[in-house]
Amino acid sequence: MTSPTALRLPLTVLALGLALGACKGKEADTGGEPDPYIVGQIQPDGGSEAGNVRFHKAFGFNQGEVFIAYISSNPDATCENVAQYLRVGSAAFDPSDMFRPDTCNMFIKVSQDYSGGIDYSRAEGDASIDLVGAGTSIECALGAGDWELTTLLEDDPDPDYYYSGRWWVGNPLTYRYTFSGGDGEDYTLDMELAQLDGGYVHESLEEVRATATVSGSMPAEWCEGLASTGLF
């Protein structure tokens, strides 16, 4: 189970170019905000709160055979903010423009064999080593809350931004990815998520799996800023 935030934080383990713009999504009936491209829900086992998937923005970059992408629930997310959030060793960064309460965001890293795309699926009960799933981190800001500059442990050397509500982080166990594009061009991300492994990483190391009902397709813009994150 991995988290992009943990590239800077000791408690979480790990980690799409320009804003997509409201004109690229279907305009919602009220408020003028575009509808999200991909919707669904992630329900941790035994939990009373579920994370809503409402993917508005996606940013990606590939170099060699490595591909990374970041997908945000917030229409205000930008390539610049995403790159700063993911950058290894960066200072505390307020990610309010990338997250929304009660929603999930997603980071994906394909560490090898990305050449113009990838078509990969994993069935329920598959016990083989899954490097693609291990490179995915889904972060869910559950329930009401906001971002606070604080420390979680007394011996943390520096404060960072943490969500004040419950924070579930996981990676997919049963899923499908079909991605295409890159090398300076935009991407298309098509996915299905069914079962996830994870936990409330700010509370304990106990495993808490989740059921997902997520599927759909969305564009991701080429984000050259991701090249400076230290993830390649």
Side-chain angles (χ1 to χ4, degrees), residues 10-88:
L11 284 185
T12 51
V13 189
L14 180 58
L16 254 158
L18 300 170
L20 288 175
C23 62
K24 289 204 173 181
K26 184 179 71 174
E27 288 294 329
D29 292 336
T30 60
E33 181 176 289
D35 290 339
Y37 288 97
I38 297 177
V39 298
Q41 194 171 71
I42 294 174
Q43 177 64 67
D45 292 351
S48 59
E49 297 172 317
N52 293 305
V53 171
R54 298 179 58 81
F55 289 157
H56 282 277
K57 293 290 188 67
F59 308 89
F61 182 79
N62 66 288
Q63 182 173 286
E65 295 186 333
V66 179
F67 162 75
I68 64 174
Y70 192 85
I71 312 174
S72 175
S73 60
N74 195 328
D76 295 330
T78 67
C79 171
E80 180 181 2
N81 284 351
V82 166
Q84 188 171 352
Y85 178 64
L86 295 177
R87 189 166 294 126
V88 176

Side-chain angles (χ1 to χ4, degrees), residues 66-212:
V66 179
F67 162 75
I68 64 174
Y70 192 85
I71 312 174
S72 175
S73 60
N74 195 328
D76 295 330
T78 67
C79 171
E80 180 181 2
N81 284 351
V82 166
Q84 188 171 352
Y85 178 64
L86 295 177
R87 189 166 294 126
V88 176
S90 66
F93 173 70
D94 183 354
S96 299
D97 288 341
M98 294 161 43
F99 284 90
R100 278 184 165 173
D102 207 33
T103 64
C104 304
N105 283 9
M106 188 172 183
F107 169 82
I108 301 167
K109 181 176 182 179
V110 177
S111 298
Q112 58 185 11
D113 299 330
Y114 187 91
S115 179
I118 183 173
D119 191 351
Y120 182 88
S121 63
R122 186 172 175 86
E124 182 176 357
D126 189 338
S128 63
I129 296 175
D130 180 18
L131 297 179
V132 176
T136 298
S137 174
I138 300 170
E139 300 179 304
C140 294
L142 302 179
D146 52 27
W147 291 89
E148 299 176 349
L149 184 62
T150 185
T151 58
L152 295 184
L153 295 175
E154 291 183 359
D155 59 352
D156 279 352
D158 298 297
D160 209 327
Y161 285 91
Y162 296 88
Y163 188 66
S164 61
R166 300 197 81 184
W167 184 250
W168 185 92
V169 176
N171 60 280
L173 295 174
T174 306
Y175 65 101
R176 177 188 60 80
Y177 291 160
T178 302
F179 304 152
S180 62
D183 295 330
E185 303 295 331
D186 292 347
Y187 302 86
T188 298
L189 308 180
D190 190 277
M191 68 181 69
E192 296 178 7
L193 305 176
Q195 295 178 323
L196 311 173
D197 189 19
Y200 298 101
V201 296
H202 292 167
E203 302 173 27
S204 75
L205 298 179
E206 180 182 358
E207 179 186 273
V208 180
R209 292 196 172 187
T211 300

